[in-house]
Amino acid sequence: MTDAGDRHGPHSVINRVLAVLATFEGTPGSLTVAGIAQRADLPVSTTYRIVASLEEWGALRKGSDGRYQIGFRLWSLGQQAGRRLRDRAHPFLQDLFDLTQENVHLAIRDGLHSLYVDKVYNSRKLPVVSRIGGRLPLHATAVGRVLLAAQPDWFVDAYLARELESPTPNTVTDPAVLARVIADVRREGFSVTYEQMRLGAISLAAPIVYQEETVASVALVFDIGQAGEVDRLRPAVKGTADKIGRAMRGGSAGAVLRRVSPPTSDRFSSDEKPGLHGAGPG
């Protein structure tokens, strides 16, 4: 029997399934069916049927406590996104980690966020808030500021006109100040953030350029007590970004980069310019 809520056709069903999966974005733990229904704004009965189907397929898995998490099949499928980019970049990220012994990140732009596609880290080092597949605000991260600086002026203006997130008390949200910061990143070719995303942390990032476009960004994250090390570490970060860019020019990774980032649900306004939230890193 067809659910009465599905009478609008298959697109309605697909939208509901996507709404259920979207509830797990940014969720650190597991969710109950009731919690999923509330987040997805769906009836519990409808949610229960969707969750059961997703569990059967492997997109979700049920824990012993009756709560649900993303399933291994969906996780495995998601790992295919950006795989060729990671394959090209990862040896250089590992080299940077070996050289500095600091946490290393690789990110692309996904709409209004930095999407983290790879990282190399030491569990004994400073804990970091990013995770592979995680998304953080562009203005609050060094990789994000690099990616934001690569966008056209109209994009930056529209981004800064939003109500900006403030992950820490030190996060800069003043549009005028951020506009000057972005101008500095464009001029200097790197970004340094102090306690913008996490208290006690510094991030140092540089752009990865392919065919004259910034397609990704690489960064180190280290303790605020090492602020005096920024100038010493900057050439290593910049050199790593340049090496990744050269490795990409040696193959077809650039075409893949434009398919790495999935469509985003972020929106500026109804009259936004075309391409603002395209799947490419732009």
Side-chain angles (χ1 to χ4, degrees):
M1 180 179 294
T2 302
D3 187 346
D6 298 336
R7 62 182 179 276
H8 298 298
H11 293 295
S12 177
V13 177
I14 292 171
N15 288 339
R16 288 165 188 254
V17 171
L18 293 176
V20 166
L21 292 175
T23 63
F24 290 89
E25 283 191 306
T27 301
S30 53
L31 295 171
T32 63
V33 172
I36 296 170
Q38 182 179 21
R39 287 168 174 251
D41 194 24
L42 293 173
V44 173
S45 59
T46 300
T47 303
Y48 181 83
R49 286 191 288 273
I50 292 173
V51 166
S53 295
L54 290 173
E55 182 187 10
E56 182 180 0
W57 186 80
L60 298 178
R61 62 187 179 93
K62 187 178 183 180
S64 59
D65 58 358
R67 300 168 70 92
Y68 288 87
Q69 299 180 18
I70 290 295
F72 290 116
R73 186 172 182 182
L74 188 62
W75 178 85
S76 177
L77 186 64
Q79 293 303 299
Q80 301 305 312
R83 182 174 180 178
R84 291 179 66 184
L85 167 61
R86 292 196 304 273
D87 287 348
R88 293 291 177 89
H90 190 82
F92 301 104
L93 303 183
Q94 185 67 55
D95 286 347
L96 180 60
F97 174 81
D98 292 342
L99 177 66
T100 64
Q101 292 299 301
E102 303 295 348
N103 297 326
V104 182
H105 294 160
L106 177 69
I108 63 170
R109 181 177 71 83
D110 177 17
L112 310 182
H113 295 82
S114 304
L115 174 64
Y116 290 80
V117 296
D118 201 2
K119 65 189 296 185
V120 182
Y121 67 99
N122 187 330
S123 61
R124 291 172 295 179
K125 284 290 187 177
L126 179 77
V128 291
V129 297
S130 67
R131 56 181 174 80
I132 296 177
R135 298 158 74 241
L136 296 176
L138 289 172
H139 67 282
T141 61
V143 289
R145 290 182 178 182
V146 166
L147 297 169
L148 185 57
Q151 307 309 310
D153 289 341
W154 65 262
F155 183 101
V156 176
D157 292 344
Y159 182 94
L160 297 181
R162 302 163 50 245
E163 181 177 351
L164 299 175
E165 302 91 332
S166 184
T168 79
N170 297 331
T171 307
V172 177
T173 57
D174 184 308
V177 174
L178 282 171
R180 292 194 293 272
V181 167
I182 295 305
D184 289 342
V185 174
R186 286 173 171 171
R187 183 180 65 257
E188 297 170 355
F190 68 91
S191 175
V192 185
T193 58
Y194 298 86
E195 301 187 303
Q196 295 294 292
M197 194 67 225
R198 178 187 173 89
L199 292 176
I202 298 175
S203 186
L204 168 62
I208 297 171
V209 178
Y210 175 80
Q211 293 185 344
E212 301 184 354
E213 291 186 35
T214 295
V215 294
S217 180
V218 63
L220 285 178
V221 178
F222 47 100
D223 189 270
I224 191 72
Q226 298 171 261
E229 297 290 293
V230 169
D231 287 342
R232 182 181 68 84
L233 293 171
R234 187 169 62 239
V237 176
K238 183 67 166 60
T240 298
D242 290 345
K243 288 176 183 177
I244 296 171
R246 287 196 294 271
M248 288 164 48
R249 289 192 292 274
S252 58
V256 176
L257 281 169
R258 287 166 175 77
R259 300 195 298 272
V260 167
S261 179
T264 177
S265 59
D266 298 319
R267 291 290 180 265
F268 282 127
S269 65
S270 60
D271 59 347
E272 63 185 2
K273 295 198 177 186
L276 184 61
H277 297 287

